[in-house]
């Protein structure tokens, strides 16, 4: 028995839960998707019923604008299909390892289908022995990964799923993520460099653009998102090893009157226009294409760049299912499994964490806003 390979023994069933934001699957889904987004206490931290009515108001007002945005990309978000590609690739890689696990990847979107309730029921029906929670957000935020993990625990309680869980809270400098990003950024930079040389202009400036959050999320919750974005960008720059590289981090997608972290991507594009420098835009916080990349970066910000006569505007694609990124996720799963085996599972109580965290435990101590049942 001792000499038998793992493949000939009964494998433990391990569910890998991939979290992402979700996106509307058609025009009729835009308004309810927006309502779900703004009704999340991690996004708008007002108690109910105030949050509910404000979410109703905002989603009603923004739905026509959002539908126009999605009209540019076929009327729906491509996020689910791209996430399914990642899930398939990761599952194949994991099941190719002779490590005693039968792996199956499940997708749980936060604000549109498939919701956590349905995915948790599917995990229970499959008979998972253990669960690894894997947000497709390399950098942790209470507004993204924290909200998804909390919602998953709620869903597990609802459907009676009690298989042990361990959370991979973040992986901002994971080698696979960094290598895939650096490879793609270098290609984009070299393309921009060639175009710049033909036009007789200077070297390009790299803008690592991430989705912004209100400043209060960082200052009041102890959210590590901004620091982890900066760590990711620095790791990619270090990996590229290009001398005298002109680069900086900026933040996009601001909405509402609150003060947001900065500088804003739009401001940095305007500054590049004044400086007359070519631009390479790198979506450092997104690992799949969706409206913020395909519309905001590719169309809206490009129009600004054209008006400012910026000589070159090059947008780097997201890592999606890049083999090195998928290998990086395999490593994240392995590290999280080791933490599960060494330290035991996370507490199922919605308000507790006890996570293993590779970033000095910063994710585990960030303050998560109250959930729907407590508002």
């Amino acid at each position: 028995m001792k000499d038998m390979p793992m493949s000939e023994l009964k494998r433990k069933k391990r569910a890998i839960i991939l979290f992402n934001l979700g996106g509307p699957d058609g025009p009729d889904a835009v308004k309810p998707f927006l309502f779900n987004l703004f009704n999340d206490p991690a996004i708008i931290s007002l108690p109910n019923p105030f949050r509910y009515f404000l979410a109703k108001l905002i989603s009603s007002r923004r739905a026509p604008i959002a539908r126009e945005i999605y009209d540019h990309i076929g009327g729906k978000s491509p996020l689910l299909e791209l996430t399914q590609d990642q899930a398939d690739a990761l599952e194949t890689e994991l099941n190719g390892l002779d490590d005693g696990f039968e792996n199956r990847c499940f997708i749980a979107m936060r604000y549109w289908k498939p919701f956590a309730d349905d995915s948790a029921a599917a995990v229970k029906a499959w008979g998972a022995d253990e669960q690894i929670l894997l947000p497709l957000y390399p950098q942790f935020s209470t507004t993204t990964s924290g909200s998804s993990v909390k919602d998953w625990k709620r869903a597990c309680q609802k459907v009676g799923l009690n298989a042990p869980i361990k959370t991979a809270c973040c992986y901002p400098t994971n080698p696979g993520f960094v290598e895939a990003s650096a490879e793609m950024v270098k290609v984009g930079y070299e393309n921009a460099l060639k175009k710049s040389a033909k036009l007789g202009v200077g070297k390009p400036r790299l803008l690592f653009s991430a989705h912004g959050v209100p400043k209060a999320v960082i200052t009041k919750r102890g959210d590590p998102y901004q620091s982890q974005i900066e760590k990711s960008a620095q790791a990619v720059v270090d990996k590229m090893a290009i001398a005298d590289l002109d680069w900086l981090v900026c933040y996009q997608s601001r909405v509402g009157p609150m003060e947001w972290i900065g500088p804003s991507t739009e401001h940095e594009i305007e500054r590049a226009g004044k400086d007359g420098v070519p631009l390479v835009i790198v979506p450092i916080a997104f690992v799949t294409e969706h409206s913020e990349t395909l519309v905001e970066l590719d169309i809206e910000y490009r129009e600004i760049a054209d008006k400012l006569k910026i000589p070159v505007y090059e947008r780097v694609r997201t890592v999606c299912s890049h083999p090195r990124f998928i290998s990086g996720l395999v490593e994240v799963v392995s590290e999280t499994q080791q933490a599960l085996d060494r330290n035991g599972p996370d507490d199922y109580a919605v308000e507790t964490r006890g996570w293993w965290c590779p970033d000095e435990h910063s994710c585990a101590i960030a303050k998560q806003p109250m959930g729907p049942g407590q508002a």
Side-chain angles (χ1 to χ4, degrees):
M1 191 74 170
K2 290 182 179 179
D3 298 328
M4 290 180 65
M6 288 289 187
S7 57
E8 295 182 25
L9 298 173
K10 186 179 186 314
R11 292 191 168 204
K12 185 180 287 188
K13 287 187 170 183
R14 181 170 64 184
I16 314 298
I17 319 302
L18 302 180
F19 294 135
N20 214 325
L21 189 80
D25 51 12
D28 292 341
V30 171
K31 185 177 176 180
F33 163 76
L34 291 173
F35 171 77
N36 292 338
L37 172 67
F38 291 110
N39 195 41
D40 183 355
I43 304 300
I44 296 180
S45 54
L46 289 175
N48 269 332
F50 303 107
R51 187 178 66 251
Y52 175 88
F53 288 117
L54 184 58
K56 281 285 188 184
L57 177 64
I58 295 173
S59 58
S60 295
R61 288 184 173 179
R62 288 187 62 84
I65 300 168
R67 287 193 192 98
E68 289 181 11
I69 290 172
Y70 284 106
D71 281 345
H72 288 289
I73 52 176
K76 68 185 186 74
S77 171
L79 187 60
L80 179 56
E81 289 82 358
L82 294 173
T83 305
Q84 187 63 59
D85 290 343
Q86 291 172 320
D88 292 344
L90 178 59
E91 187 175 303
T92 297
E93 288 295 313
L94 288 170
N95 285 328
L97 303 174
D98 191 25
D99 60 357
F101 290 100
E102 176 188 352
N103 300 276
R104 183 173 295 183
C105 291
F106 297 82
I107 297 170
M109 296 298 190
R110 186 63 184 89
Y111 305 118
W112 201 242
K113 304 168 186 176
F115 292 116
D117 290 8
D118 295 329
S119 298
V123 172
K124 183 182 179 183
W126 183 57
D129 297 308
E130 292 179 349
Q131 305 176 71
I132 300 294
L133 308 188
L134 180 59
L136 290 174
Y137 307 103
Q139 306 87 9
F140 176 87
S141 175
T142 54
T143 61
T144 53
S145 303
S147 177
S148 287
V149 171
K150 191 170 184 178
D151 189 52
W152 182 257
K153 288 183 175 182
R154 176 204 57 77
C156 288
Q157 291 177 356
K158 180 179 178 180
V159 305
L161 173 60
N162 54 17
I165 60 175
K166 203 67 181 175
T167 303
C169 55
C170 67
Y171 41 99
T173 57
N174 170 266
F177 169 61
V178 170
E179 289 169 10
S181 300
E183 180 182 306
M184 298 179 75
V185 174
K186 201 162 188 176
V187 170
Y189 182 79
E190 288 172 352
N191 287 342
L193 204 58
K194 291 174 185 175
K195 294 175 183 177
S196 301
K198 287 182 180 179
L199 294 171
V201 295
K203 292 181 180 180
R205 176 179 296 162
L206 281 183
L207 298 184
F208 287 92
S209 184
H211 199 295
V213 295
K215 197 170 185 178
V217 169
I218 306 299
T219 58
K220 293 184 178 181
R221 298 183 191 175
D223 196 305
Y225 176 72
Q226 187 173 17
S227 69
Q228 291 190 359
I229 290 291
E230 292 168 358
K231 289 176 182 179
S232 294
Q234 184 68 63
V236 171
V237 168
D238 290 345
K239 188 68 180 178
M240 290 170 63
I242 297 175
D244 301 320
L245 187 65
D246 181 7
W247 69 276
L248 62 107
V249 173
C250 51
Y251 298 89
Q252 64 184 86
S253 310
R254 176 180 174 175
V255 292
M258 296 179 67
E259 183 182 3
W260 280 44
I261 58 175
S264 74
T265 304
E266 187 169 342
H267 171 78
E268 288 304 322
I269 292 173
E270 291 170 354
R271 188 168 73 89
K274 292 176 183 176
D275 295 343
V277 298
L279 281 181
V280 178
I281 310 293
V282 183
I284 191 62
F286 305 124
V287 299
T288 41
E289 300 292 337
H290 51 301
S291 62
E292 281 86 351
T293 58
L294 297 171
V295 179
E296 191 171 10
L297 294 183
D298 286 355
I299 298 174
E300 295 173 355
Y301 286 169
R302 184 182 292 275
E303 288 177 355
I304 294 172
D306 289 344
K307 287 178 182 177
L308 296 171
K309 296 184 174 15
I310 290 175
V312 176
Y313 182 93
E314 184 86 14
R315 204 271 285 183
V316 176
R317 302 291 107 182
T318 54
V319 292
C320 285
S321 296
H322 190 294
R324 291 188 180 179
F325 176 57
I326 299 301
S327 294
L329 293 182
V330 170
E331 182 183 2
V332 172
V333 169
S334 175
E335 291 174 339
T336 309
Q337 183 66 50
Q338 291 171 27
L340 172 60
D341 296 340
R342 182 176 61 247
N343 303 327
D346 295 349
D347 194 321
Y348 253 104
V350 170
E351 288 304 322
T352 60
R353 299 203 186 138
W355 297 342
W356 162 80
C357 175
D359 189 39
E360 301 173 349
H361 211 58
S362 59
C363 306
I365 60 176
K367 297 175 183 177
Q368 193 69 38
M370 291 189 302
Q374 303 154 291

